[in-house]
Amino acid sequence: MVDAYHHGDLRRALVEAALAVIDEDGVDALTLRGVARRAGVSHAAPYHHFADLADLRAAVAAECFADLRDRMVRARAAGASPDRQVRELGRSYIDYAVERPNRFRLMWRPELRGPGAPGEVVALAGEESYRPLLAAVAAGQHTRLFRAGEVPDLALFAWATVHGFATLLVDGPLADTAADPARLAAAAENVVELTLTGLLRH
Amino acid sequence: MVDAYHHGDLRRALVEAALAVIDEDGVDALTLRGVARRAGVSHAAPYHHFADLADLRAAVAAECFADLRDRMVRARAAGASPDRQVRELGRSYIDYAVERPNRFRLMWRPELRGPGAPGEVVALAGEESYRPLLAAVAAGQHTRLFRAGEVPDLALFAWATVHGFATLLVDGPLADTAADPARLAAAAENVVELTLTGLLRH
DNA sequence: ACGGCAATGTTGACAATGTCAAGATACGTG
DNA sequence: CACGTATCTTGACATTGTCAACATTGCCGT
């Protein structure tokens, strides 16, 4: 597994090298030649596994979305009632963004969602990450715990709030909040609770 | 003013060329040499006005934030009561993102907020865009229209929601929603109203 | 077993870019 | 009017994405 390059699964090795580069130095540091170098192959070898740089990025993003989806599924499972599920989902989403800011950034790069085929894979992976939230909101509405209205509308509101907060933590002016675990927890709590206020029936 | 290059204000011409490139082809299409070409100067001329590509990006972003701030100020002025102000602010923010998606993307690029000096300019410009929302929330709380709590917490919640929604419209899976004015208006309305639910006293 | 094909890697080349160093030019200030 | 400084140009270099041509190698059917 250590030297799976020359013959083993180069594609896998390249994706993993890419993840390492992204985690260490950010999305913009990701380079086809650099990844090839890390994997110990020639600079053009990646072209046998990825159409171009954008394609590699998309593959990595799909990987990340799969990870996020797993977390979302587990988060929902960890919540007894729909409102707790939403809380868990929100917290987990924020945790992911703060833990892996560079991956989170990559996942929302606009290039990923252009017309190209790889973009569609990413879009699908993204949808799957969204499903648990949709389910939790639907359940909450079924119990008459959440307000009436279209499920997608309510879920979108919740997603937008948490996503926006995560974005501000990662890319925006809340970077120092994100760096302080105590403040981060407090701010996240605040946002999640206010979000629930929007969902709950009063 | 048409050919203010060779002598006039090259810096200005470069920023404007950069805005044009970004609007037309996206942030990643922005290139120092390309901008120089557009402005009709040699490829190294920009270095007398910007330290490097990141610096040019930061200058453009600062310009965009100034524009956003103006819109936010006007939006707040257009709202009679605090809740209407929040509505106007939210709508305007979303409008800006949808109208000028590429500028909006640039403004939240993480590179802008690194340690460098230009980043600080951007951060300051961003804060000014935030001020009207803070003021509206404070006013709403003063009138006892909005719920009790820390003003920054409430404002952050509102910002996060609207910002997240805008991000999903621009970079995420809501791109087709953004393309249809009717659906966009409905979705924006939904998000803004739910946000207000989180702010209002019940 | 074996000959050949398709997948996988490698080398070499090209254009574009960011960036720097040296030289040219022009503008304002003494 | 001379001079220094800000501004611009030219030339060069390393890095990168990408393609084409060539090498290798494992697998397939015969």
Side-chain angles (χ1 to χ4, degrees):
Chain A
M1 185 64 82
V2 171
D3 48 10
Y5 334 124
H6 213 198
H7 249 230
D9 198 346
L10 178 60
R11 184 187 165 97
R12 173 105 236 115
L14 292 171
V15 168
E16 242 137 58
L19 278 170
V21 171
I22 290 173
D23 283 340
E24 290 169 23
D25 299 322
V27 180
D28 288 326
L30 180 64
T31 180
L32 272 176
R33 293 175 103 111
V35 170
R37 227 172 290 141
R38 275 202 189 221
V41 293
S42 77
H43 64 253
Y47 281 87
H48 288 275
H49 300 272
F50 305 98
D52 51 18
L53 180 57
D55 192 32
L56 172 62
R57 281 208 199 100
V60 174
E63 192 99 350
C64 295
F65 267 113
D67 184 14
L68 179 62
R69 175 201 14 130
D70 291 349
R71 289 183 183 224
M72 292 299 102
V73 169
R74 281 199 299 270
R76 174 154 137 78
S81 52
D83 60 310
R84 301 212 185 177
Q85 289 177 8
V86 170
R87 265 184 267 257
E88 289 294 333
L89 286 166
R91 264 196 276 273
S92 297
Y93 196 91
I94 293 166
D95 282 351
Y96 183 79
V98 172
E99 266 176 49
R100 301 234 117 93
N102 287 339
R103 297 189 188 192
F104 185 77
R105 287 181 185 118
L106 165 67
M107 291 158 75
W108 299 102
R109 279 278 175 129
E111 314 94 71
L112 297 183
R113 280 171 194 75
E120 290 170 26
V121 175
V122 174
L124 281 182
E127 270 185 45
E128 286 186 32
S129 310
Y130 186 40
R131 229 184 285 279
L133 175 61
L134 269 179
V137 170
Q141 217 178 38
H142 193 254
T143 334
R144 302 185 58 79
L145 183 68
F146 291 168
R147 75 169 59 238
E150 298 290 316
V151 171
D153 285 350
L154 288 183
L156 175 58
F157 161 71
W159 187 17
T161 305
V162 168
H163 180 71
F165 181 63
T167 296
L168 293 177
L169 284 172
V170 162
D171 282 345
L174 269 55
D176 33 344
T177 299
D180 178 346
R183 274 206 294 159
L184 170 61
E189 167 90 6
N190 167 61
V191 164
V192 170
E193 289 311 318
L194 284 174
T195 303
L196 267 176
T197 303
L199 296 184
L200 290 170
R201 191 182 286 271
H202 296 95
Chain B
M1 186 61 85
V2 171
D3 48 10
Y5 333 126
H6 212 196
H7 250 228
D9 198 343
L10 178 60
R11 184 186 165 99
R12 173 105 235 115
L14 291 172
V15 168
E16 241 136 60
L19 278 170
V21 172
I22 290 173
D23 283 341
E24 290 169 23
D25 299 323
V27 180
D28 288 325
L30 181 64
T31 178
L32 273 176
R33 293 175 104 111
V35 168
R37 225 172 292 139
R38 276 203 187 221
V41 293
S42 79
H43 64 252
Y47 281 87
H48 289 274
H49 301 272
F50 304 99
D52 52 18
L53 179 57
D55 193 31
L56 171 61
R57 281 207 200 103
V60 174
E63 191 100 350
C64 295
F65 267 113
D67 184 14
L68 178 62
R69 175 201 13 127
D70 291 349
R71 290 183 183 224
M72 293 297 103
V73 170
R74 281 200 299 272
R76 174 153 136 79
S81 52
D83 60 311
R84 301 210 186 179
Q85 290 177 7
V86 170
R87 266 184 267 257
E88 289 293 333
L89 286 166
R91 264 196 274 274
S92 297
Y93 196 91
I94 293 166
D95 282 351
Y96 183 80
V98 173
E99 266 177 49
R100 302 232 117 93
N102 287 339
R103 297 190 189 190
F104 185 76
R105 288 181 184 120
L106 166 67
M107 291 157 75
W108 299 103
R109 279 277 175 130
E111 315 94 70
L112 297 182
R113 281 172 193 72
E120 290 170 25
V121 175
V122 174
L124 281 182
E127 270 184 45
E128 287 187 32
S129 310
Y130 186 40
R131 228 184 285 280
L133 175 62
L134 269 179
V137 169
Q141 215 176 41
H142 192 253
T143 334
R144 303 185 57 78
L145 183 68
F146 292 169
R147 75 169 60 239
E150 296 291 315
V151 170
D153 285 350
L154 288 183
L156 175 58
F157 160 72
W159 188 18
T161 304
V162 169
H163 179 72
F165 180 63
T167 296
L168 294 177
L169 283 172
V170 163
D171 282 347
L174 269 56
D176 33 344
T177 300
D180 177 346
R183 274 206 294 162
L184 170 61
E189 167 90 6
N190 167 60
V191 165
V192 171
E193 288 311 318
L194 285 173
T195 303
L196 267 176
T197 303
L199 296 184
L200 290 169
R201 189 182 287 272
H202 296 95

